[in-house]
Amino acid sequence: SQWGEENLQALSIQEGEDVTMNCSYKTYTTVVHWYRQDSGRGPALIILIRSNEREKRSGRLRATLDTSSQSSSLSITAAQCEDTAVYFCATGTNTGKLTFGDGTVLTVKP
Amino acid sequence: DAGVTQTPRHEVAEKGQTIILKCEPVSGHNDLFWYRQTKIQGLELLSYFRSKSLMEDGGAFKDRFKAEMLNSSFSTLKIQPTEPKDSAVYLCASSFGTGGPEVFFGKGTRLTVV
């Protein structure tokens, strides 16, 4: 597997809290994608970080990438109820082919 | 909306039937992917096309699964014969295909095999 020992995880937080989700990968990648998937929909890209970047921000989202430890994280600041979704990390190379992690089910409670 | 379009959204089949799922990628995209999603296995790649050529055909899925791309704007995934274990969401996705670009997903087809 591309990914370490990692099953679908579940996190439940209160609105307004910060949350961080982590991923580790085994093989070389040039980019880490983070997707969110809402119920009844396909995954949608929310942030993409390349191997020459250590950190990437987009609104309340912050992604980090540590190529030496082959790990990435996604943080959401001041989570809101609408952030409730399943979050996936995925690795890719210069093709569009992605290998997905198992995902994290995030529930943000009001 | 010029996103990835998948039809049907839901499909119920009896064991042993043949079903065909359809996908229209984003116009201009060169790469097309078929994924299967289940709670246990997560997202698994079934097939990968680049410029209509089959680049990868998931080994575990070869015997009963066949994806085709007859033109750049249409792809099908045939499952023949279906088995109950094929019950899953089938996702089609497309991208421009270079430089680790964004992959756009359709809403998926939920297949139930009884």
Side-chain angles (χ1 to χ4, degrees):
Chain A
S1 168
Q2 166 74 353
W3 298 95
E5 292 298 317
E6 181 180 6
N7 297 315
L8 185 65
Q9 300 179 13
L11 291 175
S12 181
I13 61 172
Q14 295 295 130
E15 198 169 30
E17 292 182 346
D18 299 341
V19 62
T20 297
M21 293 164 270
N22 298 296
C23 276
S24 59
Y25 55 93
K26 290 181 178 178
T27 58
Y28 172 77
T29 187
T30 59
V31 61
V32 173
H33 300 227
W34 283 91
Y35 282 77
R36 69 171 279 169
Q37 185 174 23
D38 296 294
S39 181
R41 293 186 169 270
L45 181 71
I46 53 174
I47 197 166
L48 181 156
I49 183 166
R50 299 184 185 275
S51 57
N52 61 350
E53 300 173 305
R54 291 188 60 84
E55 178 181 295
K56 188 85 166 283
R57 291 180 184 268
S58 177
R60 294 183 295 107
L61 304 177
R62 172 177 172 261
T64 66
L65 178 59
D66 184 341
T67 54
S68 62
S69 64
Q70 296 190 147
S71 63
S72 178
S73 71
L74 174 70
S75 299
I76 304 176
T77 302
Q80 301 171 3
C81 291
E82 51 263 39
D83 295 325
T84 293
V86 181
Y87 291 83
F88 294 95
C89 49
T91 57
T93 58
N94 288 330
T95 70
K97 178 184 162 186
L98 298 177
T99 303
F100 285 84
D102 291 332
T104 297
V105 179
L106 177 66
T107 302
V108 183
K109 299 179 179 178
Chain B
D1 188 323
V4 177
T5 303
Q6 290 187 249
T7 55
R9 290 296 314 278
H10 302 274
E11 179 81 55
V12 179
E14 292 188 354
K15 179 182 173 182
Q17 272 188 293
T18 296
I19 62 102
I20 297 176
L21 309 182
K22 304 177 182 68
C23 174
E24 296 175 31
V26 174
S27 178
H29 279 185
N30 298 314
D31 284 3
L32 184 139
F33 308 88
W34 284 98
Y35 285 89
R36 184 172 80 170
Q37 186 175 31
T38 61
K39 286 186 178 179
I40 296 174
Q41 298 294 333
L43 280 152
E44 301 171 282
L45 181 69
L46 301 175
S47 293
Y48 163 36
F49 292 88
R50 167 158 286 186
S51 300
K52 301 186 295 179
S53 296
L54 183 64
M55 304 299 289
E56 187 165 331
D57 199 358
F61 301 97
K62 280 183 179 177
D63 57 346
R64 297 181 298 108
F65 291 71
K66 184 177 176 62
E68 290 185 316
M69 196 163 185
L70 301 179
N71 60 60
S72 61
S73 59
F74 186 70
S75 177
T76 58
L77 176 66
K78 180 192 288 187
I79 307 176
Q80 178 184 36
T82 53
E83 298 182 5
K85 65 181 179 181
D86 299 332
S87 297
V89 175
Y90 291 83
L91 291 162
C92 179
S94 69
S95 73
F96 281 112
T98 56
E102 179 175 0
V103 177
F104 293 81
F105 282 82
K107 293 181 179 179
T109 296
R110 180 173 292 279
L111 173 65
T112 302
V113 182
V114 297

